[in-house]
Amino acid sequence: MDVSDFLASHAAKSEVQVVDKEIPLTTDLAFLSVFDTNTIDEESHKCHLQSLANDGVQTLLVSLFKLPTTQTPDGPMVQLPQPTVLLPRAKPLPKPKPPTKWEQFAKAKGIQNKKRDKKVWDEERQEWVNRWGKDGLNKQKEQQWITEVPMNADIDHDPVKEARDARKARVAKNERQKLQNDAAAAGLSGKAAQEERKKDIDRTLSSSRISTASMGKFDKKLDGEKKIRGVKRKFEPAEGISEKDSSLSILKNMESDSRKTRTGPAPAEESVINTRKAVRFASKGRGGLAMARGGSAGRGGRGRGGKR
Amino acid sequence: MRPLTEDESKAVFAKLANFIGKNLIQLIDRKDEPYCFRLHKDRVFYVSESSMKLGISVARPNLVSMGTCFGKFSKSGKFKLHITALDYLAQYAKYKVWIKPNGEMPFLYGNHILKAHLGRITEDTAEHQGVVIFSMSDTPLGFGVTSRSTVDTRKLDPTAIIVFHQADVGEYLRDEETLI
C-alpha cells in the first residue's frame, strides 16, 4: 500500500503559509501585536487593509503556535514571552525633592551621610536594642531603676521627668524642622509665606475683635487701631441696564426651584385638569381618601352619620 | 435709589406671586411702557422707567416717593407688602374674597374676616393663599391670607376667622405718617 500521496497531501495541508513581504513583519507576543512597516497601497485601500489584517493575524498565529506548549487539564497552555517593545511612561517623571536644610548644610560642609542602623548593640544587656521606639536606647534614662541626682538639685527634682521632657523637646524640634522643610518644598518660603501669615493674622484679629459680647462696640480701643473694613457692597447702576431680562430669569429660576422642591402633584394652574376640583366632584365632596376606600363604604358612612 | 439685588428681587417676587401668581410676568414685561422695581430707603417702588429717570436727578434725602410703593424691607431682610400695592394686586389677583356690607367696617378697622362676613370666595382657594378682599360692589378693600381652604370653610362656625388681615385701605388714614 502506497501512502506517500496521502502523506504528501496531509503535509501540504498542515504546512503553514509564511507571509512573505519586503520588510519582514515583527511581532511582540507579550502584547499579542504585529508590526508591519511596509509601504501602504493607497489606491486600493480596502483590499490593502483586508490583506494587511490577514497577513498580520497569519503571522501572529504562526508565531504563537511555534511557542512551546505544556499540557494542562484545560488543554495546551502557552507561556507568553517577556515584552520586547518598551511602552512609554504615561506620566512625567516625578520631580526631584528639593534638598532639606540639613542636606544643604551637609553638602556645603562636605559631610558624607552614613546610614545609621535602627538597632544598636547594648554592651550591658549583651543584645541588640532599638535606637528608638519600643524599649529604645533614647528612653534608657527614663526607664533605668536608679538615677544619679546632682548635689545642687532642687527638692522637687525629678530626673525621669527631666529626661522625658528633653526627649519630647527633641521630637518636637524635629517635627518643626520637618514642617519648615515641607513648606519650603511646597514653594511657600520667604516673602510669600510671610505675606500669607500676615493675612492670616489680620483675618484672625478682625474676627476676634467682633467676637465679644457687644460685637466689638464697647471694647477698649488701642492706639493706632484701624477701623474694620467690611465687604464693599456693589449695586447695579440705577439706569442703563435691561432689567426685564434679569427679572424674568430670576422668575424662571424661582419657578424651577419650587418645582424641584415640590413633593406633591403639580398645582392646578399648570395641569389642564384641576385635580382637586375633579376629586371633589367625583367623591361628592368627601375627599380622595374616602373615595379610595370604596363606594359602598362611603354610602355606609353616610348611613352611620345620619340621624338615628 | 438703586435696583434690587437678586435676593431682594426673589423676596419681592415671592410675595407678589402669592397673590397674583403667574400674572407677575404682566408687571415685569409690560406692553405699554417699561417698568422697573427700585429700592429707596428700604422701600420698593414700582415705577415706569421714564419717571425713574426723572427721579435720578433728585437728591436722596429729598426724594420721598415715586411711582407706586409696593412695600418695604424689614431690618431682617423680609419684604412686607403695603396697602399702596393694592391697585396692582386687585387688577391681577387670582383668588378673591368678597365681603358683605356689614363686614366692611370691621375689616377696614384692621380686623380679620369672619365667616359671617364672607359674601363670596373664589372657588378652590387653597389654605394660606394670598387673597384680595373686595366689597360686594367690587371695590378692592385690602388683602390677606386665607386660614382655611374653600371646602373646609363650610364646616366652620360663623365666628371663625376665614381670612387673616394683612392690609386694608383704612391704613391710608391710620398709618398716614409711616406709610411712605
Side-chain angles (χ1 to χ4, degrees):
Chain A
M1 191 177 161
D2 185 19
V3 289
S4 58
D5 279 0
F6 186 70
L7 279 174
S9 71
H10 186 77
K13 216 186 269 176
S14 64
E15 189 182 280
V16 286
Q17 291 178 346
V18 178
V19 179
D20 191 25
K21 286 210 169 185
E22 275 178 46
I23 306 167
L25 305 188
T26 50
T27 56
D28 187 0
L29 290 178
F31 300 128
L32 293 180
S33 51
V34 183
F35 303 97
D36 189 347
T37 45
N38 291 297
T39 49
I40 301 166
D41 182 9
E42 275 183 45
E43 279 154 24
S44 55
H45 66 277
K46 205 166 184 184
C47 291
H48 175 74
L49 282 179
Q50 277 176 351
S51 73
L52 198 68
N54 195 21
D55 292 349
V57 174
Q58 176 88 11
T59 318
L60 184 65
L61 287 178
V62 165
S63 45
L64 267 180
F65 277 94
K66 271 182 192 161
L67 291 172
T69 57
T70 49
Q71 287 302 325
T72 60
D74 295 332
M77 269 269 274
V78 169
Q79 182 74 40
L80 292 178
Q82 286 294 314
T84 51
V85 175
L86 286 177
L87 289 177
R89 231 183 121 87
K91 298 222 163 114
L93 277 173
K95 282 187 186 122
K97 270 187 191 167
T100 62
K101 214 160 185 186
W102 161 250
E103 278 165 359
Q104 282 171 5
F105 177 75
K107 201 183 169 192
K109 289 277 179 189
I111 299 168
Q112 291 292 323
N113 211 2
K114 54 174 180 283
K115 187 89 177 163
R116 287 210 300 185
D117 288 333
K118 205 198 163 184
K119 298 263 186 187
V120 195
W121 180 254
D122 194 343
E123 281 292 338
E124 285 170 23
R125 278 146 74 183
Q126 288 296 307
E127 60 176 4
W128 291 95
V129 291
N130 282 334
R131 200 187 285 278
W132 73 91
K134 188 175 187 295
D135 302 327
L137 206 63
N138 60 343
K139 285 197 234 20
Q140 207 176 31
K141 259 194 178 166
E142 305 162 33
Q143 286 167 349
Q144 62 198 4
W145 64 279
I146 187 162
T147 316
E148 206 176 327
V149 177
M151 284 297 283
N152 57 350
D154 285 340
I155 199 153
D156 56 347
H157 177 75
D158 185 355
V160 171
K161 188 181 177 292
E162 205 162 70
R164 190 173 184 277
D165 286 350
R167 181 171 60 83
K168 287 284 173 194
R170 281 197 301 277
V171 171
K173 187 188 172 199
N174 192 305
E175 182 70 15
R176 204 168 53 244
Q177 284 173 338
K178 182 190 165 287
L179 285 178
Q180 279 172 1
N181 281 328
D182 284 352
L188 283 175
S189 62
K191 268 268 164 60
Q194 208 177 349
E195 284 295 310
E196 190 71 20
R197 216 173 312 134
K198 215 170 173 184
K199 235 182 246 172
D200 205 31
I201 289 169
D202 277 348
R203 215 174 300 134
T204 317
L205 186 67
S206 62
S207 67
S208 68
R209 271 173 66 183
I210 55 168
S211 303
T212 58
S214 65
M215 293 171 85
K217 198 161 190 183
F218 297 111
D219 291 351
K220 226 180 245 171
K221 293 275 184 301
L222 298 175
D223 268 355
E225 205 173 36
K226 277 179 197 157
K227 205 180 160 199
I228 299 174
R229 299 256 172 227
V231 182
K232 192 93 176 161
R233 290 184 306 168
K234 199 151 190 259
F235 298 115
E236 296 280 310
E239 64 160 346
I241 45 163
S242 80
E243 257 180 283
K244 202 177 84 182
D245 297 338
S246 62
S247 302
L248 286 176
S249 79
I250 288 170
L251 213 58
K252 210 173 172 185
N253 278 344
M254 281 169 60
E255 238 168 64
S256 69
D257 283 353
S258 67
R259 210 167 286 157
K260 264 177 235 158
T261 52
R262 192 184 301 137
T263 49
E269 61 203 23
E270 279 169 31
S271 58
V272 180
I273 301 170
N274 187 338
T275 328
R276 232 158 10 126
K277 194 171 173 184
V279 165
R280 187 147 34 86
F281 184 76
S283 64
K284 297 195 180 73
R286 282 179 294 111
L289 272 177
M291 198 170 67
R293 250 180 260 135
S296 60
R299 214 169 290 136
R302 196 188 296 161
R304 279 201 301 275
K307 283 176 190 168
R308 289 234 173 128
Chain B
M1 176 172 60
R2 64 170 175 82
L4 305 182
T5 63
E6 198 176 324
D7 288 344
E8 287 166 346
S9 299
K10 267 186 190 167
V12 174
F13 291 165
K15 260 292 154 61
L16 286 174
N18 194 22
F19 287 91
I20 62 178
K22 286 208 161 172
N23 289 336
L24 186 50
I25 294 173
Q26 315 278 348
L27 285 181
I28 297 165
D29 190 8
R30 275 174 76 126
K31 301 261 182 325
D32 50 350
E33 204 184 342
Y35 267 64
C36 57
F37 288 94
R38 283 288 177 274
L39 189 89
H40 176 64
K41 288 182 184 166
D42 280 347
R43 263 148 236 270
V44 175
F45 295 94
Y46 178 65
V47 57
S48 75
E49 287 205 346
S50 53
S51 314
M52 181 268 295
K53 276 173 186 160
L54 293 174
I56 285 174
S57 55
V58 181
R60 216 177 286 175
N62 300 342
L63 185 63
V64 176
S65 176
M66 62 185 164
T68 311
C69 177
F70 261 30
K72 72 168 185 180
F73 276 102
S74 66
K75 298 277 188 216
S76 58
K78 287 181 192 132
F79 180 68
K80 282 210 172 75
L81 277 171
H82 275 173
I83 186 61
T84 40
L86 184 64
D87 281 352
Y88 288 100
L89 292 185
Q91 191 183 343
Y92 294 115
K94 297 205 74 173
Y95 296 96
K96 300 175 182 179
V97 169
W98 288 265
I99 51 174
K100 290 173 185 165
N102 62 346
E104 281 176 17
M105 282 326 275
F107 177 67
L108 292 184
Y109 279 114
N111 297 314
H112 301 308
I113 295 177
L114 308 180
K115 194 193 167 189
H117 297 146
L118 188 69
R120 276 198 297 165
I121 184 166
T122 309
E123 197 180 17
D124 207 47
T125 310
E127 205 177 2
H128 307 314
Q129 167 72 47
V131 286
V132 178
I133 317 293
F134 289 83
S135 69
M136 289 311 270
S137 55
D138 262 348
T139 314
L141 297 176
F143 51 86
V145 167
T146 55
S147 67
R148 304 292 170 96
S149 65
T150 312
V151 187
D152 293 343
T153 53
R154 304 219 173 108
K155 298 167 200 154
L156 295 173
D157 58 324
T159 55
I161 293 168
I162 294 285
V163 179
F164 293 118
H165 168 273
Q166 278 190 337
D168 64 81
V169 286
E171 285 175 22
Y172 279 115
L173 294 177
R174 278 182 278 136
D175 301 336
E176 202 180 348
E177 288 154 359
T178 54
L179 207 53
I180 294 293

